């Protein structure tokens, strides 16, 4: 789960807030019922539906005090929302929508929903939104009679409640324990948050924050969406990581003037070094390149036939998942980009070729008249993940070749994203890393690289098109503005580096005197630090005798 602010040791009054990151939540009060599925706000009070008892509770949002309870217009009230001064109630069995007048306590309107499994309601600007799980659609209807105006796809089959903030839909996934910001026009998932509890049920929007009732915990939470912090950190992974590069000369000639530069990891917002970087052999010197990355520079002279050389370092690190919550309307304009950032990170490069007529034409076709930097970048990203399939075939071809071919490696995806963004005027660069590979102790051979783009008012955000090239709209959103806790970042660069060239993690160079068979290998070794292994794990030792067949 993401960072959670509990009530112990934290004083938060109704109408005020502490500095928080997106997704931070506080427990407000216990639910007045044990089977709460719906939540709505009329401007003064909260309304919570009890699915089992068929009741609706009116509650003060500050204290959680129940003002009154009354029978719902259906025995199985699921979600709630207010529209045009009426409390709309949906029934997930009969597929009915009821509009209850709270002054007369009479149902003014009733109509059939577009399907039987109605599990979410929201309202904005004359449109009632209905989440129907069987068809996996969110319908837009006329509140008076249910006439369908349009529909968008559901982000995930387990979504079961929603609210509207005036610009975006927020949809809860009760199984994944997540909340999604959704574009109501296209259904695109823009960003995601972790829900504060294990069964996110009804939601409503109050003064820039999401209020959520959790069915399993019987509690009501307030969730931060906007604050000074633009991203949140969570799920720290404490590991010891060794990076090793080896070269073997099988001869019969000699390897001469051998040098190898290692990219050295440093502290970053989502990465904290818990130890010094320990080199197996002291490098000749440490220095930074023109992009600000730190490198260990090594020179070894000659390597005779039959010799093997290993260069390595080890570091203890805590890496955290990083999640930006980006509101597209809060992103500044292209004119708001700092001049030094624009100059460095919109320049051309031999592996970008942004002035190619093909790249220029493609960017114009994809972007059209769009002016918002977020939507410009998202359109370019969507094009990549739709039209390129992952394939590692060795080498890093230029974006024009990759885009025409339709396949590429993670580095080629990154170079394509950078080239398209730079051609559209958005600063872009890349990061490279060693990757934790699912087991607590694991070996990384392929490594990973992704892009970063600069969005005014948000700064540098990660964009990983190779991992986002999947059908799931939720995963696509997570790969635009989020990083998992799986990476030891070694490299950040805008292009050709005097110490790393276009590579990441390391760069080696040498000459051959005579015919030589040379083999290079590089690996990342991950081991959990104490306290990071699963709590239920116990190492079992068996004797040699027990291992006999």
């Amino acid at each position: 789960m993401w960072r959670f602010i509990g009530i112990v040791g934290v004083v938060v009054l109704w109408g005020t807030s502490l500095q928080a990151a997106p997704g931070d939540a506080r427990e407000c009060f216990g639910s007045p019922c044990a089977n709460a599925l719906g939540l709505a706000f009329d401007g003064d009070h909260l309304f919570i539906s009890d699915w089992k008892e068929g009741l609706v509770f009116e509650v003060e949002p500050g204290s959680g005090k129940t003002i009154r309870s009354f029978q719902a217009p259906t025995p199985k009230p699921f979600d709630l929302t207010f529209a045009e001064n009426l409390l709309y109630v949906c029934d997930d069995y009969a597929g009915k929508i009821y509009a209850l007048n709270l002054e007369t306590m009479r149902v003014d309107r009733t109509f059939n929903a577009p399907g039987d499994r109605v599990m979410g309601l929201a309202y904005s600007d004359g449109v009632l939104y209905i989440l129907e799980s069987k068809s996996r659609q969110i319908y837009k209807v006329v509140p008076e009679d249910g006439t369908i105006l349009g529909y968008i796809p559901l982000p995930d089959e387990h979504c079961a409640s929603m609210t509207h903030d005036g610009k975006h839909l927020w949809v809860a996934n009760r199984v994944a324990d997540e909340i999604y910001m959704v574009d109501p026009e296209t259904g695109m998932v823009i960003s995601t948050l972790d829900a504060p509890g294990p069964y996110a049920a009804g939601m409503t929007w109050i003064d820039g924050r999401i209020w959520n009732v959790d069915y399993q915990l019987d509690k009501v939470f307030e969730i931060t969406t906007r604050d000074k912090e633009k991203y949140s950190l969570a799920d720290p992974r404490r590991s010891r990581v060794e990076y090793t590069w080896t070269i073997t000369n099988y001869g019969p000639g000699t390897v001469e003037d051998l040098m190898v530069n290692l990219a050295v990891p440093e502290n970053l917002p989502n990465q904290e070094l818990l130890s010094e970087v320990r080199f197996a052999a002291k490098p000749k010197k440490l220095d930074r390149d023109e992009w600000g990355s730190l490198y260990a520079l090594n020179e070894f002279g000659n390597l005779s036939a039959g010799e093997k050389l290993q260069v390595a370092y080890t570091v203890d690190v805590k890496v955290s998942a990083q999640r930006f919550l980006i509101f597209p309307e809060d992103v500044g304009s292209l004119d708001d980009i700092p001049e030094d950032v624009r100059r460095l990170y919109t320049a051309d490069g031999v592996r970008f070729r942004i002035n190619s007529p093909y790249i220029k034409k493609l960017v114009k076709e994809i972007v059209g008249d769009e002016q918002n930097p977020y939507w410009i970048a998202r359109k370019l990203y969507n094009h990549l993940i739709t039209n390129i399939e992952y394939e590692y075939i060795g080498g890093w071809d230029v974006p024009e070749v990759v885009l025409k071919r339709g396949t590429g490696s993670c580095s080629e995806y990154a170079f394509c994203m950078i080239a398209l963004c730079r051609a559209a005027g958005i600063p872009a660069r890349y990061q490279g890393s060693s990757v934790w590979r699912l087991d607590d102790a694991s070996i990384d051979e392929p490594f990973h690289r992704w892009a970063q783009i600069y969005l005014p008012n948000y700064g540098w955000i990660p964009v990983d098109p190779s991992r986002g090239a999947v059908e799931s709209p939720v995963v696509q959103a997570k790969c635009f503005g989020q990083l998992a806790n799986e990476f030891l970042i070694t490299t950040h660069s805008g292009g050709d580096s005097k110490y790393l060239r276009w590579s990441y993690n390391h760069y080696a160079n040498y000459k051959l005197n005579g015919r030589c068979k040379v083999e290079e290998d590089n690996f990342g070794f991950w081991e959990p630090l104490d306290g990071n292994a699963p709590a239920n794990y116990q190492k079992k030792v068996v004797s040699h005798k027990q291992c006999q067949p």
Side-chain angles (χ1 to χ4, degrees), residues 63 81-82 87 89 104 109 137 160 173 208 237 276 280 296 300 320 339-340 383-384 422 472 476 479 496 509 530:
S63 65
T81 194
F82 275 93
L87 178 63
V89 184
T104 66
R109 303 168 186 166
Q137 303 286 347
N173 185 324
R237 180 182 306 283
E276 293 183 348
F300 297 102
S320 299
E339 184 54 38
D340 57 337
H383 180 87
L384 279 182
R422 289 191 179 189
S472 167
Q476 292 172 7
C479 292
D496 194 6
N509 192 31
D530 292 342

Side-chain angles (χ1 to χ4, degrees), residues 116-194:
D116 296 336
R117 298 290 286 169
V118 185
M119 305 180 77
L121 293 175
Y123 175 82
S124 179
D125 196 23
V127 177
L128 182 67
Y129 295 82
I130 299 175
L131 189 161
E132 205 283 319
S133 65
K134 185 183 293 184
S135 62
R136 299 186 183 180
Q137 303 286 347
I138 296 175
Y139 292 89
K140 309 173 192 180
V141 309
V142 177
E144 287 76 17
D145 57 12
T147 300
I148 297 176
L149 301 169
Y151 52 87
I152 57 176
L154 204 58
D156 182 88
E157 62 180 317
H158 298 297
C159 292
S161 61
M162 61 182 176
T163 189
H164 202 294
D165 67 7
K167 288 185 177 291
H168 317 101
L169 280 168
W170 296 83
V171 185
N173 185 324
R174 62 180 179 82
V175 174
D177 304 330
E178 295 175 329
I179 298 172
Y180 310 134
M181 184 203 294
V182 176
D183 177 13
E185 297 302 317
T186 65
M188 181 191 301
V189 180
I190 298 172
S191 292
T192 73
L193 293 172
D194 274 348

Side-chain angles (χ1 to χ4, degrees), residues 240-366:
R240 176 163 295 160
V241 184
E242 176 188 331
Y243 182 78
T244 300
W245 176 85
T246 63
I247 182 171
T248 304
N249 178 19
Y250 293 99
T254 302
V255 173
E256 297 183 346
D257 300 331
L258 173 62
M259 55 78 65
V260 58
N261 300 329
L262 300 183
V264 180
E266 297 186 89
N267 288 312
L268 296 169
N270 61 321
Q271 175 171 294
E272 178 185 353
L273 302 192
L274 303 177
S275 73
E276 293 183 348
V277 179
R278 303 180 293 274
F279 295 97
K282 185 178 180 180
K284 179 181 178 181
K285 69 173 182 176
L286 297 176
D287 197 16
R288 296 187 182 276
D289 69 358
E290 58 269 50
W291 306 105
S293 283
L294 182 64
Y295 298 97
L297 311 182
N298 300 273
E299 295 180 1
F300 297 102
N302 298 343
L303 196 67
S304 300
E307 283 191 300
K308 179 178 180 179
L309 176 69
Q310 177 176 292
V311 184
Y313 66 77
T314 303
V315 64
D316 297 345
V317 66
K318 180 176 73 174
V319 293
S320 299
Q322 183 181 34
R323 169 177 288 168
F324 282 84
L325 182 61
I326 303 169
F327 287 82
E329 63 271 22
D330 291 349
V331 174
S333 70
L334 292 176
D335 292 336
D336 295 325
I337 298 170
E339 184 54 38
D340 57 337
V341 173
R342 186 197 313 275
R343 184 182 67 257
L344 281 173
Y345 297 105
T346 60
D348 203 356
V350 295
R351 291 194 183 275
F352 300 143
R353 298 182 182 269
I354 65 175
N355 291 314
S356 153
Y358 173 84
I359 294 294
K360 286 185 173 181
K361 180 182 178 182
L362 181 62
V363 168
K364 186 175 181 180
E365 291 174 353
I366 296 170

Side-chain angles (χ1 to χ4, degrees), residues 84-105:
E84 301 171 357
N85 298 317
L86 298 174
L87 178 63
Y88 278 72
V89 184
C90 68
D91 184 322
D92 69 317
Y93 276 81
K96 295 279 188 180
I97 306 295
Y98 307 87
L100 179 64
N101 187 318
L102 294 181
E103 292 184 2
T104 66
M105 297 307 294

